[in-house]
Amino acid sequence: MLCLCFEDLKTNLPQAVQTVADFIGIPDPGHRDIATQQAGFEFMKAHGTQFDDHLVRQTRDAACGLPPGGVATKVHRGQTGAAHTQISPQIHQAFATRWQDTIEQQFGLASYADLRRALQG
């Protein structure tokens, strides 16, 4: 299993693509170039329906009696950290408690920053 962090993809996408390509055994530089281009924010924003949950949303909305036509995009601003302002303090605390009970206890990583450092070697 290969673990990567979104922030590291944003920092150096070509290197992240290289890491993934090496991991799965894709030696062709042309394929790596295409993957880098198509993993970029501009491409993903222009092709947003390829990266959303529209099929799940359509099924769920119909089952729940919700009106059709909602947006289910996962491509927002292409920035890290934006979710921190969209999640309530109670949810942040629930995440922190869950992290402590699972990741910290099992792996000794007290925070996401510790996990990133460990993955970077």
Side-chain angles (χ1 to χ4, degrees):
M1 175 172 55
L2 176 65
C3 296
L4 302 170
C5 295
F6 179 71
E7 296 87 350
D8 300 324
L9 298 174
K10 290 294 297 174
T11 301
N12 191 343
L13 181 59
Q15 178 58 51
V17 170
Q18 174 83 29
T19 300
V20 172
D22 290 345
F23 183 76
I24 62 176
I26 298 182
D28 183 353
H31 289 138
R32 292 172 187 221
D33 292 342
I34 292 168
T36 300
Q37 190 267 330
Q38 292 183 355
F41 178 72
E42 293 78 17
F43 181 90
M44 293 177 77
K45 193 69 171 174
H47 301 87
T49 57
Q50 293 179 357
F51 306 100
D52 67 16
D53 287 334
H54 65 278
L55 295 176
V56 172
R57 183 181 180 102
Q58 288 170 358
T59 304
R60 181 205 58 217
D61 289 356
C64 294
L66 298 172
V71 177
T73 186
K74 292 181 180 176
V75 182
H76 294 280
R77 290 178 265 171
Q79 300 172 342
T80 62
H84 291 286
T85 61
Q86 299 172 351
I87 298 174
S88 72
Q90 295 83 4
I91 299 294
H92 277 287
Q93 183 55 51
F95 283 150
T97 300
R98 184 70 171 162
W99 183 281
Q100 291 168 349
D101 293 346
T102 56
I103 305 298
E104 185 173 13
Q105 282 190 9
Q106 187 166 355
F107 301 104
L109 301 167
S111 68
Y112 179 70
D114 290 344
L115 171 65
R116 281 189 68 204
R117 281 190 290 278
L119 290 174
Q120 293 170 345

